[in-house]
Amino acid sequence: MSAALDRELRAELDELAATGTLKTLRAIDSPQGPLIRFADGSEAICLCSNDYLGLAADPRVVEAAAEGLRRYGAGTASVRFICGLFTPHLELERDLADFLGTEAAITFTSCWNANQALLDTLCDERTWVLSDALNHASIIDGIRLARPGGKAVYEHADVGSLERRLDEVPAGARCLIVTDGVFSMEGDLAPLPEIVELASARGATLIVDDSHGIGVLGETGAGTAEHFGLAGRIDIVTGTLGKALGGASGGFVAGSSAVCELLEQRSRGQLFSNGVPQSVACGARAALAALREEPARLARLHENVARFRSGLIGNGLHPLDGESAIVPVIVGETSAAIALSERLLADGVFAIGFGFPVVPEGSARVRAQLSAALTDEQIDEAVAAFARST
Ligand SMILES: Cc1ncc(COP(=O)(O)O)c(C=O)c1O
């Protein structure tokens, strides 16, 4: 590497530090959970993992993954079209399709990869993609890489804006509407009932990335669609295994057999990259089974969200409204969000500040994420820390 480039990169990092926007990564030396221990021995209540159901360190999930590791080895050591796939992949894909009410599902090494693979495979020069303004970065980048014939961004969760964008789509185009189910930075939900109706009236295909909705919303945890009584009515659902479903890694696309088979045949994320390790597939299956067997986890998660929200409000704070497990507290400037997050950590609560470019300038926030594994006492302690730190 040239010394000049290295100096330029160092100057960029110095600039981040000077503006108070340099992220500090903490090393964790315990399993993921409601109370984590850092490498320096200190502990904190964790409000920033996506372990919504508290399954990341659940003994059943860990044992299933360990058994998968023993039985099938460390990984696939090949892409699946060359060397085949393993039984746990097939079983997991069947489980995911059954859970979400789709014909089929196909796994990827992450939901980032799943979104990119899906968009790339479905887009051609006659495809138009309409995307919510606050969609996850993997969707935004996925659309850029897919280079569809046309694309438009509609205002966040605004059905009127989507309708106006649909009016611009040429007749005969293949039209894809893409939205998060739960928006990761706001914690609010896509207005799926109206979007489903509009998509159906206009002959468009609806894609919902429900990474933050699956394992959180709906009677069985099947996500935002189930929450709205629309289970099985979304054309294509994408999601992650790295949040509620065991928290390891991996993602998937669930939809018709034709969609999944074409992804198998054509998507670059399948053709040029190894699959999810077999152990991870086994762990994710165990997480799905735990959710099926213990629906009380979902109820507990929502009790925890309600307790945390009402605690914040009772202390004069104003979290953004929402029904998901994401509770953002807006503070304004990026440096203010980072400073608040540091004060919280000093007070034993791990919750991260997000600023530009992850969220729009001026709306930096500390985002809290609740878990079914948190106790009442931990939530009350966290609320007290927010009250002291803001
Ligand atoms: C809405 C959404 N989609 C996709 C992803 C990517 O998930 P993965 O970690 O499996 O790549 C995330 C994770 O941050 C997300 O929040």
PDB file of all heavy atoms in Angstrom, residues 244-276:
ATOM      1  N   ALA A 244     -33.568 -12.540  15.562  1.00  0.00           N
ATOM      2  CA  ALA A 244     -34.383 -13.329  16.504  1.00  0.00           C
ATOM      3  C   ALA A 244     -34.157 -14.843  16.354  1.00  0.00           C
ATOM      4  O   ALA A 244     -34.291 -15.583  17.326  1.00  0.00           O
ATOM      5  CB  ALA A 244     -35.864 -13.010  16.311  1.00  0.00           C
ATOM      6  N   LEU A 245     -33.834 -15.296  15.152  1.00  0.00           N
ATOM      7  CA  LEU A 245     -33.782 -16.749  14.906  1.00  0.00           C
ATOM      8  C   LEU A 245     -32.416 -17.349  15.244  1.00  0.00           C
ATOM      9  O   LEU A 245     -31.785 -18.026  14.428  1.00  0.00           O
ATOM     10  CB  LEU A 245     -34.177 -17.060  13.457  1.00  0.00           C
ATOM     11  CG  LEU A 245     -35.592 -16.623  13.063  1.00  0.00           C
ATOM     12  CD1 LEU A 245     -35.918 -17.029  11.630  1.00  0.00           C
ATOM     13  CD2 LEU A 245     -36.647 -17.188  14.028  1.00  0.00           C
ATOM     14  N   GLY A 246     -31.946 -17.066  16.434  1.00  0.00           N
ATOM     15  CA  GLY A 246     -30.704 -17.684  16.897  1.00  0.00           C
ATOM     16  C   GLY A 246     -29.514 -16.750  16.899  1.00  0.00           C
ATOM     17  O   GLY A 246     -28.539 -16.973  17.608  1.00  0.00           O
ATOM     18  N   GLY A 247     -29.575 -15.698  16.083  1.00  0.00           N
ATOM     19  CA  GLY A 247     -28.571 -14.642  16.176  1.00  0.00           C
ATOM     20  C   GLY A 247     -27.204 -14.977  15.597  1.00  0.00           C
ATOM     21  O   GLY A 247     -26.258 -14.210  15.801  1.00  0.00           O
ATOM     22  N   ALA A 248     -27.075 -16.099  14.882  1.00  0.00           N
ATOM     23  CA  ALA A 248     -25.742 -16.426  14.360  1.00  0.00           C
ATOM     24  C   ALA A 248     -25.482 -15.594  13.107  1.00  0.00           C
ATOM     25  O   ALA A 248     -24.997 -14.459  13.197  1.00  0.00           O
ATOM     26  CB  ALA A 248     -25.654 -17.913  14.077  1.00  0.00           C
ATOM     27  N   SER A 249     -25.819 -16.131  11.965  1.00  0.00           N
ATOM     28  CA  SER A 249     -25.698 -15.385  10.717  1.00  0.00           C
ATOM     29  C   SER A 249     -26.458 -16.166   9.668  1.00  0.00           C
ATOM     30  O   SER A 249     -26.850 -17.309   9.910  1.00  0.00           O
ATOM     31  CB  SER A 249     -24.232 -15.248  10.293  1.00  0.00           C
ATOM     32  OG  SER A 249     -23.724 -16.524   9.991  1.00  0.00           O
ATOM     33  N   GLY A 250     -26.625 -15.558   8.522  1.00  0.00           N
ATOM     34  CA  GLY A 250     -27.368 -16.234   7.467  1.00  0.00           C
ATOM     35  C   GLY A 250     -28.636 -15.476   7.152  1.00  0.00           C
ATOM     36  O   GLY A 250     -29.154 -14.728   7.992  1.00  0.00           O
ATOM     37  N   GLY A 251     -29.092 -15.650   5.931  1.00  0.00           N
ATOM     38  CA  GLY A 251     -30.321 -14.981   5.516  1.00  0.00           C
ATOM     39  C   GLY A 251     -31.074 -15.875   4.566  1.00  0.00           C
ATOM     40  O   GLY A 251     -30.603 -16.965   4.211  1.00  0.00           O
ATOM     41  N   PHE A 252     -32.225 -15.417   4.140  1.00  0.00           N
ATOM     42  CA  PHE A 252     -33.024 -16.262   3.249  1.00  0.00           C
ATOM     43  C   PHE A 252     -33.984 -15.433   2.413  1.00  0.00           C
ATOM     44  O   PHE A 252     -34.286 -14.283   2.741  1.00  0.00           O
ATOM     45  CB  PHE A 252     -33.819 -17.302   4.063  1.00  0.00           C
ATOM     46  CG  PHE A 252     -34.781 -16.678   5.039  1.00  0.00           C
ATOM     47  CD1 PHE A 252     -36.069 -16.321   4.655  1.00  0.00           C
ATOM     48  CD2 PHE A 252     -34.384 -16.411   6.336  1.00  0.00           C
ATOM     49  CE1 PHE A 252     -36.934 -15.727   5.554  1.00  0.00           C
ATOM     50  CE2 PHE A 252     -35.253 -15.817   7.244  1.00  0.00           C
ATOM     51  CZ  PHE A 252     -36.529 -15.479   6.852  1.00  0.00           C
ATOM     52  N   VAL A 253     -34.428 -16.072   1.347  1.00  0.00           N
ATOM     53  CA  VAL A 253     -35.540 -15.554   0.551  1.00  0.00           C
ATOM     54  C   VAL A 253     -36.624 -16.611   0.619  1.00  0.00           C
ATOM     55  O   VAL A 253     -36.343 -17.799   0.413  1.00  0.00           O
ATOM     56  CB  VAL A 253     -35.120 -15.332  -0.923  1.00  0.00           C
ATOM     57  CG1 VAL A 253     -36.322 -14.951  -1.777  1.00  0.00           C
ATOM     58  CG2 VAL A 253     -34.032 -14.276  -1.022  1.00  0.00           C
ATOM     59  N   ALA A 254     -37.855 -16.223   0.915  1.00  0.00           N
ATOM     60  CA  ALA A 254     -38.989 -17.160   0.933  1.00  0.00           C
ATOM     61  C   ALA A 254     -40.021 -16.652  -0.066  1.00  0.00           C
ATOM     62  O   ALA A 254     -40.370 -15.473  -0.056  1.00  0.00           O
ATOM     63  CB  ALA A 254     -39.582 -17.238   2.338  1.00  0.00           C
ATOM     64  N   GLY A 255     -40.483 -17.549  -0.921  1.00  0.00           N
ATOM     65  CA  GLY A 255     -41.448 -17.132  -1.950  1.00  0.00           C
ATOM     66  C   GLY A 255     -41.886 -18.342  -2.745  1.00  0.00           C
ATOM     67  O   GLY A 255     -41.899 -19.469  -2.231  1.00  0.00           O
ATOM     68  N   SER A 256     -42.214 -18.114  -4.006  1.00  0.00           N
ATOM     69  CA  SER A 256     -42.670 -19.231  -4.838  1.00  0.00           C
ATOM     70  C   SER A 256     -41.485 -20.143  -5.162  1.00  0.00           C
ATOM     71  O   SER A 256     -40.313 -19.738  -5.066  1.00  0.00           O
ATOM     72  CB  SER A 256     -43.278 -18.704  -6.142  1.00  0.00           C
ATOM     73  OG  SER A 256     -42.251 -18.170  -6.947  1.00  0.00           O
ATOM     74  N   SER A 257     -41.806 -21.380  -5.595  1.00  0.00           N
ATOM     75  CA  SER A 257     -40.722 -22.302  -5.996  1.00  0.00           C
ATOM     76  C   SER A 257     -39.955 -21.704  -7.165  1.00  0.00           C
ATOM     77  O   SER A 257     -38.725 -21.854  -7.243  1.00  0.00           O
ATOM     78  CB  SER A 257     -41.279 -23.638  -6.462  1.00  0.00           C
ATOM     79  OG  SER A 257     -42.200 -24.105  -5.564  1.00  0.00           O
ATOM     80  N   ALA A 258     -40.667 -21.017  -8.070  1.00  0.00           N
ATOM     81  CA  ALA A 258     -39.969 -20.474  -9.244  1.00  0.00           C
ATOM     82  C   ALA A 258     -38.931 -19.446  -8.807  1.00  0.00           C
ATOM     83  O   ALA A 258     -37.794 -19.445  -9.303  1.00  0.00           O
ATOM     84  CB  ALA A 258     -40.981 -19.851 -10.207  1.00  0.00           C
ATOM     85  N   VAL A 259     -39.300 -18.577  -7.868  1.00  0.00           N
ATOM     86  CA  VAL A 259     -38.347 -17.565  -7.391  1.00  0.00           C
ATOM     87  C   VAL A 259     -37.127 -18.261  -6.795  1.00  0.00           C
ATOM     88  O   VAL A 259     -35.972 -17.953  -7.127  1.00  0.00           O
ATOM     89  CB  VAL A 259     -39.002 -16.635  -6.337  1.00  0.00           C
ATOM     90  CG1 VAL A 259     -37.957 -15.833  -5.573  1.00  0.00           C
ATOM     91  CG2 VAL A 259     -40.010 -15.695  -6.984  1.00  0.00           C
ATOM     92  N   CYS A 260     -37.379 -19.224  -5.903  1.00  0.00           N
ATOM     93  CA  CYS A 260     -36.254 -19.856  -5.193  1.00  0.00           C
ATOM     94  C   CYS A 260     -35.404 -20.697  -6.134  1.00  0.00           C
ATOM     95  O   CYS A 260     -34.173 -20.713  -6.033  1.00  0.00           O
ATOM     96  CB  CYS A 260     -36.772 -20.673  -4.012  1.00  0.00           C
ATOM     97  SG  CYS A 260     -37.567 -19.608  -2.784  1.00  0.00           S
ATOM     98  N   GLU A 261     -36.061 -21.376  -7.077  1.00  0.00           N
ATOM     99  CA  GLU A 261     -35.282 -22.190  -8.018  1.00  0.00           C
ATOM    100  C   GLU A 261     -34.417 -21.315  -8.923  1.00  0.00           C
ATOM    101  O   GLU A 261     -33.270 -21.638  -9.224  1.00  0.00           O
ATOM    102  CB  GLU A 261     -36.209 -23.068  -8.868  1.00  0.00           C
ATOM    103  CG  GLU A 261     -36.683 -24.293  -8.105  1.00  0.00           C
ATOM    104  CD  GLU A 261     -37.767 -25.063  -8.856  1.00  0.00           C
ATOM    105  OE1 GLU A 261     -37.727 -25.113 -10.104  1.00  0.00           O
ATOM    106  OE2 GLU A 261     -38.657 -25.601  -8.186  1.00  0.00           O
ATOM    107  N   LEU A 262     -34.981 -20.167  -9.339  1.00  0.00           N
ATOM    108  CA  LEU A 262     -34.182 -19.290 -10.196  1.00  0.00           C
ATOM    109  C   LEU A 262     -33.006 -18.699  -9.415  1.00  0.00           C
ATOM    110  O   LEU A 262     -31.904 -18.552  -9.949  1.00  0.00           O
ATOM    111  CB  LEU A 262     -35.042 -18.176 -10.810  1.00  0.00           C
ATOM    112  CG  LEU A 262     -34.350 -17.484 -11.983  1.00  0.00           C
ATOM    113  CD1 LEU A 262     -34.163 -18.430 -13.168  1.00  0.00           C
ATOM    114  CD2 LEU A 262     -35.088 -16.226 -12.424  1.00  0.00           C
ATOM    115  N   LEU A 263     -33.242 -18.392  -8.145  1.00  0.00           N
ATOM    116  CA  LEU A 263     -32.128 -17.893  -7.316  1.00  0.00           C
ATOM    117  C   LEU A 263     -31.031 -18.952  -7.216  1.00  0.00           C
ATOM    118  O   LEU A 263     -29.843 -18.647  -7.272  1.00  0.00           O
ATOM    119  CB  LEU A 263     -32.631 -17.519  -5.920  1.00  0.00           C
ATOM    120  CG  LEU A 263     -33.425 -16.209  -5.849  1.00  0.00           C
ATOM    121  CD1 LEU A 263     -34.109 -16.073  -4.499  1.00  0.00           C
ATOM    122  CD2 LEU A 263     -32.521 -15.011  -6.105  1.00  0.00           C
ATOM    123  N   GLU A 264     -31.448 -20.191  -7.073  1.00  0.00           N
ATOM    124  CA  GLU A 264     -30.486 -21.301  -7.018  1.00  0.00           C
ATOM    125  C   GLU A 264     -29.675 -21.363  -8.319  1.00  0.00           C
ATOM    126  O   GLU A 264     -28.462 -21.555  -8.302  1.00  0.00           O
ATOM    127  CB  GLU A 264     -31.272 -22.611  -6.848  1.00  0.00           C
ATOM    128  CG  GLU A 264     -30.454 -23.854  -6.725  1.00  0.00           C
ATOM    129  CD  GLU A 264     -30.261 -24.237  -5.274  1.00  0.00           C
ATOM    130  OE1 GLU A 264     -31.139 -24.922  -4.714  1.00  0.00           O
ATOM    131  OE2 GLU A 264     -29.240 -23.822  -4.724  1.00  0.00           O
ATOM    132  N   GLN A 265     -30.356 -21.185  -9.433  1.00  0.00           N
ATOM    133  CA  GLN A 265     -29.708 -21.326 -10.734  1.00  0.00           C
ATOM    134  C   GLN A 265     -28.865 -20.120 -11.121  1.00  0.00           C
ATOM    135  O   GLN A 265     -27.823 -20.265 -11.742  1.00  0.00           O
ATOM    136  CB  GLN A 265     -30.788 -21.520 -11.833  1.00  0.00           C
ATOM    137  CG  GLN A 265     -31.610 -22.771 -11.700  1.00  0.00           C
ATOM    138  CD  GLN A 265     -30.761 -24.028 -11.857  1.00  0.00           C
ATOM    139  OE1 GLN A 265     -29.826 -24.066 -12.660  1.00  0.00           O
ATOM    140  NE2 GLN A 265     -31.049 -25.043 -11.060  1.00  0.00           N
ATOM    141  N   ARG A 266     -29.366 -18.926 -10.773  1.00  0.00           N
ATOM    142  CA  ARG A 266     -28.774 -17.739 -11.395  1.00  0.00           C
ATOM    143  C   ARG A 266     -28.120 -16.747 -10.450  1.00  0.00           C
ATOM    144  O   ARG A 266     -27.320 -15.936 -10.897  1.00  0.00           O
ATOM    145  CB  ARG A 266     -29.882 -16.972 -12.157  1.00  0.00           C
ATOM    146  CG  ARG A 266     -30.522 -17.737 -13.287  1.00  0.00           C
ATOM    147  CD  ARG A 266     -29.698 -17.653 -14.574  1.00  0.00           C
ATOM    148  NE  ARG A 266     -29.811 -16.338 -15.157  1.00  0.00           N
ATOM    149  CZ  ARG A 266     -30.785 -15.984 -15.989  1.00  0.00           C
ATOM    150  NH1 ARG A 266     -31.705 -16.850 -16.341  1.00  0.00           N
ATOM    151  NH2 ARG A 266     -30.813 -14.779 -16.499  1.00  0.00           N
ATOM    152  N   SER A 267     -28.503 -16.754  -9.165  1.00  0.00           N
ATOM    153  CA  SER A 267     -28.036 -15.622  -8.354  1.00  0.00           C
ATOM    154  C   SER A 267     -26.556 -15.752  -8.060  1.00  0.00           C
ATOM    155  O   SER A 267     -26.044 -16.820  -7.738  1.00  0.00           O
ATOM    156  CB  SER A 267     -28.847 -15.511  -7.059  1.00  0.00           C
ATOM    157  OG  SER A 267     -28.529 -16.552  -6.192  1.00  0.00           O
ATOM    158  N   ARG A 268     -25.864 -14.630  -8.166  1.00  0.00           N
ATOM    159  CA  ARG A 268     -24.410 -14.642  -7.992  1.00  0.00           C
ATOM    160  C   ARG A 268     -24.044 -14.985  -6.552  1.00  0.00           C
ATOM    161  O   ARG A 268     -23.025 -15.608  -6.304  1.00  0.00           O
ATOM    162  CB  ARG A 268     -23.842 -13.300  -8.444  1.00  0.00           C
ATOM    163  CG  ARG A 268     -24.098 -13.082  -9.939  1.00  0.00           C
ATOM    164  CD  ARG A 268     -23.816 -11.675 -10.378  1.00  0.00           C
ATOM    165  NE  ARG A 268     -22.395 -11.354 -10.465  1.00  0.00           N
ATOM    166  CZ  ARG A 268     -21.577 -11.722 -11.436  1.00  0.00           C
ATOM    167  NH1 ARG A 268     -22.043 -12.460 -12.433  1.00  0.00           N
ATOM    168  NH2 ARG A 268     -20.318 -11.369 -11.448  1.00  0.00           N
ATOM    169  N   GLY A 269     -24.924 -14.587  -5.613  1.00  0.00           N
ATOM    170  CA  GLY A 269     -24.682 -14.904  -4.204  1.00  0.00           C
ATOM    171  C   GLY A 269     -24.694 -16.414  -3.940  1.00  0.00           C
ATOM    172  O   GLY A 269     -24.098 -16.887  -2.980  1.00  0.00           O
ATOM    173  N   GLN A 270     -25.399 -17.183  -4.774  1.00  0.00           N
ATOM    174  CA  GLN A 270     -25.372 -18.650  -4.666  1.00  0.00           C
ATOM    175  C   GLN A 270     -24.236 -19.238  -5.476  1.00  0.00           C
ATOM    176  O   GLN A 270     -23.544 -20.142  -5.030  1.00  0.00           O
ATOM    177  CB  GLN A 270     -26.680 -19.286  -5.177  1.00  0.00           C
ATOM    178  CG  GLN A 270     -27.867 -19.159  -4.286  1.00  0.00           C
ATOM    179  CD  GLN A 270     -27.685 -19.866  -2.944  1.00  0.00           C
ATOM    180  OE1 GLN A 270     -26.731 -20.599  -2.721  1.00  0.00           O
ATOM    181  NE2 GLN A 270     -28.600 -19.625  -2.035  1.00  0.00           N
ATOM    182  N   LEU A 271     -24.065 -18.723  -6.685  1.00  0.00           N
ATOM    183  CA  LEU A 271     -23.127 -19.359  -7.621  1.00  0.00           C
ATOM    184  C   LEU A 271     -21.669 -19.144  -7.232  1.00  0.00           C
ATOM    185  O   LEU A 271     -20.804 -19.924  -7.601  1.00  0.00           O
ATOM    186  CB  LEU A 271     -23.351 -18.831  -9.041  1.00  0.00           C
ATOM    187  CG  LEU A 271     -24.724 -19.095  -9.657  1.00  0.00           C
ATOM    188  CD1 LEU A 271     -24.763 -18.632 -11.104  1.00  0.00           C
ATOM    189  CD2 LEU A 271     -25.087 -20.580  -9.588  1.00  0.00           C
ATOM    190  N   PHE A 272     -21.427 -18.041  -6.485  1.00  0.00           N
ATOM    191  CA  PHE A 272     -20.024 -17.694  -6.227  1.00  0.00           C
ATOM    192  C   PHE A 272     -19.703 -17.581  -4.742  1.00  0.00           C
ATOM    193  O   PHE A 272     -18.719 -16.955  -4.374  1.00  0.00           O
ATOM    194  CB  PHE A 272     -19.680 -16.371  -6.938  1.00  0.00           C
ATOM    195  CG  PHE A 272     -19.818 -16.458  -8.432  1.00  0.00           C
ATOM    196  CD1 PHE A 272     -20.909 -15.890  -9.076  1.00  0.00           C
ATOM    197  CD2 PHE A 272     -18.882 -17.144  -9.204  1.00  0.00           C
ATOM    198  CE1 PHE A 272     -21.054 -15.985 -10.456  1.00  0.00           C
ATOM    199  CE2 PHE A 272     -19.022 -17.242 -10.571  1.00  0.00           C
ATOM    200  CZ  PHE A 272     -20.107 -16.668 -11.202  1.00  0.00           C
ATOM    201  N   SER A 273     -20.530 -18.156  -3.872  1.00  0.00           N
ATOM    202  CA  SER A 273     -20.260 -18.018  -2.443  1.00  0.00           C
ATOM    203  C   SER A 273     -20.772 -19.254  -1.701  1.00  0.00           C
ATOM    204  O   SER A 273     -21.844 -19.790  -2.023  1.00  0.00           O
ATOM    205  CB  SER A 273     -20.965 -16.750  -1.930  1.00  0.00           C
ATOM    206  OG  SER A 273     -20.591 -16.484  -0.613  1.00  0.00           O
ATOM    207  N   ASN A 274     -20.006 -19.671  -0.702  1.00  0.00           N
ATOM    208  CA  ASN A 274     -20.421 -20.840   0.102  1.00  0.00           C
ATOM    209  C   ASN A 274     -21.768 -20.592   0.773  1.00  0.00           C
ATOM    210  O   ASN A 274     -22.154 -19.445   1.001  1.00  0.00           O
ATOM    211  CB  ASN A 274     -19.402 -21.097   1.213  1.00  0.00           C
ATOM    212  CG  ASN A 274     -18.164 -21.818   0.707  1.00  0.00           C
ATOM    213  OD1 ASN A 274     -17.985 -21.992  -0.499  1.00  0.00           O
ATOM    214  ND2 ASN A 274     -17.315 -22.236   1.609  1.00  0.00           N
ATOM    215  N   GLY A 275     -22.406 -21.685   1.158  1.00  0.00           N
ATOM    216  CA  GLY A 275     -23.679 -21.562   1.876  1.00  0.00           C
ATOM    217  C   GLY A 275     -23.465 -21.286   3.364  1.00  0.00           C
ATOM    218  O   GLY A 275     -22.330 -21.250   3.855  1.00  0.00           O
ATOM    219  N   VAL A 276     -24.578 -21.104   4.065  1.00  0.00           N
ATOM    220  CA  VAL A 276     -24.554 -20.968   5.523  1.00  0.00           C
ATOM    221  C   VAL A 276     -23.912 -22.233   6.104  1.00  0.00           C
ATOM    222  O   VAL A 276     -24.245 -23.341   5.664  1.00  0.00           O
ATOM    223  CB  VAL A 276     -26.013 -20.895   6.045  1.00  0.00           C
ATOM    224  CG1 VAL A 276     -26.058 -20.787   7.547  1.00  0.00           C
ATOM    225  CG2 VAL A 276     -26.766 -19.768   5.398  1.00  0.00           C
TER     226      VAL A 276
END
